[in-house]
């Protein structure tokens, strides 16, 4: 079974984003960028399926600016076999990403596509579900466990009330949640090896996809700021505060 | 404009998340509610009573029993021929179904809205809530998910909508429900609780959650939450997680115990009315957003607090 793993280059999760003064977006100049954490989990899951003998080949794909090549090299260093970079300037919305991925799925015919459930920059949580819709495939979103059994894929999902397990007819789409696995670090020899793994460069036009945005960002602003309040010296003072708030009798 | 709202329900009753979605949808136009379920007449009757709902569509079929998106999305897409917007609560269920509907309609979804500025303009959080984007949609139909904490809940009583049966294509044959492990608790639900007591990695183990956090929560009639670190470490189940990609909460009072305050956690609770932090590290970032802070060893001060309340 071939696996397709889309990855996105985003602001590093340890960096506190700053809104630009002119209200046009978040300042990404000279900011550390990394692979979206949920996508790292997706790459790791694909590698584990290959190590178990379930998967035969892992293809990583990224859609974004040319620098997304670094993100793909990271995926290759972790253990992906080859990569496809679809170079697109500006922001590409989840719907357009899903359309490009659909074209790649048609070409590559993967048995499973594993994606992060959400990118930590736009927090949309849409691409996997949209890809499933466009390809007419079943979806196992927010996965905390994935088991491939013949031509069915069992996915345990993190839902509001706890956990839910569904069985999907392969080929299927899976999106990862935090508890699916702990991604490995790429070793130095593997980072070196990744430099010579195949990486194909494409454009959205190669797949016949129009990436013009449907949503226009009118402005980006800072949320209302909270300021630090008071520190109480001891529990008695805290109890008094809680009583004043009316939450304790 | 007529808006179709996806009702979050358990076949017998309507969940709170629906009520905020009804309020958001009401800002766009006339609100109809879709109950897709199996043996869900009681949920449809409850939805018909929600103030602001003028019609309820009930799709009652075994195929909709577990809200599988492969079955529910085509039903919604068919119904959308008669609607201008589809609005779902940003619950795990809404987030699962809405994008599938949006793609089938060739619409770019607007996720997790915080406000309705006009018929095509909305605000939504990006970058873990560190920025708010105002976006305008050029799509003819809108597909929207609604952040529950950002809108008032519509009243559960006051409406008297008619319930109309609708039929969809039923089972797609693509997926099936295997089972669920749903946490059972006598405590209030996290996303609708007035008070939340949350614990972090500093609790050290599951046992300490039971002996330190839960007694305080029970004294206050509060829900119990947790940071990602505490969930990852296995102290509590995943449905306790508050944060960017977990549950978004905004209670009257949020008590963070042994939580340092990573931006991903703050993203899930910083709209709480009053934040109280208990942490032994006086430099912990949580104190920068806390209204009331107590620096101290949680193993000493939390039991003392529980005692004195």
């Amino acid at each position: 079974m071939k696996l397709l793993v889309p990855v996105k280059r985003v602001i590093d999760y340890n960096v506190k984003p700053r809104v630009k003064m002119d209200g046009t977006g978040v300042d990404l100049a000279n900011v550390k960028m990394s692979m979206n954490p949920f996508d790292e989990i997706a790459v790791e899951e694909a590698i584990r399926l290959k190590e178990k003998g379930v998967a035969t080949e892992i293809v990583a794909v990224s859609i974004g600016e040319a620098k997304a090549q670094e993100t793909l090299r990271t995926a290759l260093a972790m253990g992906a076999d080859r990569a496809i970079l679809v170079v697109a300037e500006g922001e590409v919305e989840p719907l357009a990403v899903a359309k490009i991925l659909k074209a790649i799925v048609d070409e590559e015919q993967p048995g499973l596509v594993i994606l992060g459930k959400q990118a930590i920059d736009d927090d949309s949580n849409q691409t996997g579900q949209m890809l499933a819709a466009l390809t007419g495939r079943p979806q196992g979103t927010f996965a905390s466990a994935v088991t491939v059994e013949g031509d069915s894929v069992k996915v345990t999902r993190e839902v509001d009330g706890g956990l839910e397990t569904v069985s999907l007819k392969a080929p299927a789409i899976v999106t990862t949640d935090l508890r699916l696995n702990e991604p490995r670090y790429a070793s130095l020899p593997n980072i070196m090896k990744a430099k010579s793994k195949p990486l194909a460069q494409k454009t959205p036009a190669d797949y016949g996809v129009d990436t013009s945005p449907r949503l226009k960002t009118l402005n980006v602003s800072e949320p209302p700021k909270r300021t630090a309040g008071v520190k109480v010296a001891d529990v008695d003072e805290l109890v008094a505060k809680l009583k004043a708030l009316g939450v304790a009798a | 404009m007529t808006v179709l709202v996806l009702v979050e329900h358990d076949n017998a009753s309507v969940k709170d998340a629906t009520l905020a979605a009804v309020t958001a949808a009401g800002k766009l136009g006339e609100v109809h509610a879709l109950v897709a379920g199996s043996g869900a007449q009681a949920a449809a009757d409850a939805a018909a009573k929600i103030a602001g709902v003028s019609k309820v569509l009930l799709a009652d079929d075994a195929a909709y029993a577990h809200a599988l998106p492969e079955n529910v999305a085509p039903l919604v897409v068919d119904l959308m021929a008669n609607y201008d917007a589809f609005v779902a609560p940003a619950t795990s269920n809404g987030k699962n179904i809405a994008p599938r509907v949006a793609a089938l309609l060739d619409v770019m979804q607007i996720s997790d809205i915080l406000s309705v500025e006009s018929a095509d303009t909305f605000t939504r959080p990006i970058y873990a809530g560190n920025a708010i984007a105002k976006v305008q949609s050029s799509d003819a139909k809108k597909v929207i998910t609604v952040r529950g904490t950002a809108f008032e809940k519509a009243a559960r009583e006051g409406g008297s909508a008619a319930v109309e049966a609708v039929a969809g294509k039923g089972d797609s044959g693509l997926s099936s429900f295997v089972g669920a492990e749903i946490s059972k608790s006598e405590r209030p639900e996290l996303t609708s609780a007035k008070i939340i007591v949350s614990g972090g990695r500093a609790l050290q183990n599951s046992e300490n959650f039971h002996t330190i956090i839960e007694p305080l929560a029970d004294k206050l009639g509060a829900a119990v939450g947790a940071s990602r670190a505490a969930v990852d470490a296995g102290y509590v189940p995943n449905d306790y997680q508050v944060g960017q990609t977990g549950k978004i909460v905004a209670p009257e009072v949020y008590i963070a115990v042994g939580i340092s305050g990573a931006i991903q956690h703050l993203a899930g609770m910083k709209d709480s009315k009053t934040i109280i932090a208990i942490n032994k590290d006086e430099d912990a970032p949580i104190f920068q957003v806390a209204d009331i802070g107590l620096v101290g060893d949680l193993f000493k001060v939390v039991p003392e607090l529980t005692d004195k309340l």
Side-chain angles (χ1 to χ4, degrees):
Chain A
M1 176 187 279
K2 190 194 282 186
L3 304 181
L4 188 71
V5 187
V7 295
K8 186 177 185 184
R9 180 177 185 266
V10 298
I11 190 168
D12 187 83
Y13 80 102
N14 279 313
V15 176
K16 183 165 166 50
R18 303 222 174 271
V19 173
K20 283 197 234 172
M21 296 291 280
D22 64 1
T24 57
V26 164
D27 194 358
L28 296 178
N30 304 314
V31 165
K32 187 182 177 201
M33 304 291 280
S34 299
M35 189 189 295
N36 180 42
F38 289 97
D39 303 348
E40 277 185 340
I41 296 171
V43 174
E44 176 65 34
E45 195 63 17
I47 297 167
R48 290 187 188 187
L49 286 171
K50 193 176 168 193
E51 286 168 350
K52 278 185 205 150
V54 175
T56 48
E57 189 188 22
I58 302 167
V59 182
V61 49
S62 192
I63 296 149
E65 54 180 327
K67 280 183 185 159
Q69 184 174 146
E70 294 163 16
T71 311
L72 285 171
R73 291 290 172 202
T74 305
L76 293 169
M78 286 173 74
D81 297 294
R82 62 187 169 90
I84 303 169
L85 172 62
V86 183
V87 181
E89 289 309 319
E91 201 176 320
V92 187
E93 291 173 341
L95 181 63
V97 170
K99 286 178 180 177
I100 294 169
L101 292 176
K102 185 211 181 266
I104 295 174
V105 165
D106 288 347
E107 224 169 74
E108 299 279 350
Q109 296 292 322
L112 206 55
V113 185
I114 311 178
L115 310 86
K117 75 165 181 180
Q118 173 171 346
I120 62 165
D121 50 4
D122 64 23
D123 283 332
S124 287
N125 193 335
Q126 298 175 5
T127 306
Q129 297 88 315
M130 287 183 157
L131 176 63
L134 297 177
T135 54
R137 296 181 175 197
Q139 67 191 49
T141 53
F142 326 143
S144 67
V146 177
T147 327
V148 179
E149 295 164 344
D151 63 354
S152 82
V153 184
K154 215 178 242 179
V155 179
T156 300
R157 308 178 51 234
E158 293 201 355
V159 295
D160 289 339
L163 296 170
E164 173 189 289
T165 302
V166 291
S167 174
L168 312 175
K169 213 166 123 184
I173 314 292
V174 169
T175 77
T176 64
D177 216 318
L178 295 168
R179 258 71 60 177
L180 182 56
N181 60 51
E182 216 168 293
R184 70 194 64 193
Y185 290 102
S187 67
L188 191 57
N190 284 341
I191 292 170
M192 297 311 287
K193 256 200 322 213
K195 289 182 179 164
S196 56
K197 285 186 180 177
L199 187 149
Q201 275 221 26
K202 301 277 187 181
T203 65
D206 292 337
Y207 299 107
V209 176
D210 174 9
T211 60
S212 2
R214 306 284 187 87
L215 300 183
K216 186 174 165 194
T217 300
L218 301 179
N219 74 65
V220 174
S221 58
E222 289 212 19
K225 266 209 167 54
R226 283 194 90 102
T227 46
V230 295
K231 286 226 171 83
V232 293
D234 54 27
V235 170
D236 290 330
E237 223 182 297
L238 181 54
V239 171
K241 289 273 186 198
L242 284 170
K243 283 183 179 164
L245 284 169
V247 296
Chain B
M1 191 188 279
T2 321
V3 185
L4 186 64
V5 171
L6 181 71
V7 174
E8 182 99 5
H9 65 89
D10 59 5
N11 292 313
S13 64
V14 169
K15 301 217 171 139
D16 268 2
T18 311
L19 305 175
V22 166
T23 301
K27 294 179 188 290
L28 291 169
E30 186 182 342
V31 179
H32 293 183
L34 170 64
V35 175
S38 178
Q41 184 67 47
D45 291 342
K49 290 193 189 119
I50 299 172
V53 172
S54 63
K55 193 202 257 187
V56 174
L57 305 181
L58 170 61
D60 210 318
D61 188 319
Y64 305 132
H66 301 288
L68 293 170
E70 296 80 5
N71 299 347
V72 177
L75 166 72
V76 175
V77 169
D78 285 350
L79 294 171
M80 282 303 290
N82 303 316
Y83 291 92
D84 306 298
F86 175 65
V87 171
T91 54
S92 57
N93 185 48
K95 290 190 249 189
N96 198 25
I97 291 171
R100 195 167 177 115
V101 170
L104 293 172
L105 294 171
D106 193 28
V107 166
M108 175 57 206
Q109 173 180 312
I110 308 136
S111 292
D112 227 9
I113 63 162
L114 301 172
S115 71
V116 176
E117 303 288 314
S118 72
D120 63 2
T121 305
F122 310 88
T123 62
R124 57 175 304 266
I126 54 175
Y127 291 87
N130 284 290
I132 309 295
K134 189 192 275 188
V135 297
Q136 184 175 34
S137 165
S138 60
D139 286 314
K141 290 182 194 281
K142 314 286 184 254
V143 175
I144 293 164
T145 62
V146 173
R147 177 166 288 199
T149 55
F151 293 86
E152 293 290 323
K153 292 183 185 118
R156 282 185 175 271
E157 302 287 334
S160 56
V163 178
E164 186 182 298
V166 292
K169 297 187 186 82
D171 192 355
S172 68
L174 290 171
S175 61
S176 57
F177 175 81
V178 176
E181 290 169 51
I182 299 303
S183 304
K184 285 205 174 69
S185 171
E186 298 299 308
R187 297 190 186 90
E189 203 193 335
L190 204 44
T191 51
S192 49
K194 288 207 160 50
I195 308 173
I196 294 173
V197 181
S198 264
R201 203 203 311 257
L203 266 299
Q204 293 174 354
N205 56 48
S206 170
E207 186 54 31
N208 288 339
F209 249 89
H210 293 309
T211 57
I212 309 259
I213 297 293
E214 290 177 4
L216 175 60
D218 292 342
K219 200 92 179 230
L220 294 167
V224 176
S227 70
R228 175 192 171 181
V231 177
D232 281 3
Y235 305 167
V236 286
N238 64 280
D239 49 291
Y240 281 47
Q241 188 185 325
V242 171
Q244 180 183 15
T245 68
K247 293 206 169 85
I248 309 292
V249 300
E252 297 286 318
V253 179
Y254 187 90
I255 306 179
V257 178
I259 292 177
S260 63
I263 57 173
Q264 290 81 7
H265 186 74
L266 301 184
M269 46 63 86
K270 68 186 167 69
D271 292 327
S272 305
K273 205 157 169 212
T274 301
I275 296 173
I276 299 172
I278 298 172
N279 203 299
K280 69 175 177 194
D281 174 10
E282 63 176 320
D283 296 323
I286 190 79
F287 287 121
Q288 291 164 20
V289 299
D291 301 285
I292 304 167
L294 175 59
V295 178
D297 179 2
L298 72 92
F299 295 100
K300 280 198 202 112
V301 301
V302 177
E304 187 188 340
L305 175 62
T306 307
D307 252 14
K308 287 183 170 166
L309 284 171

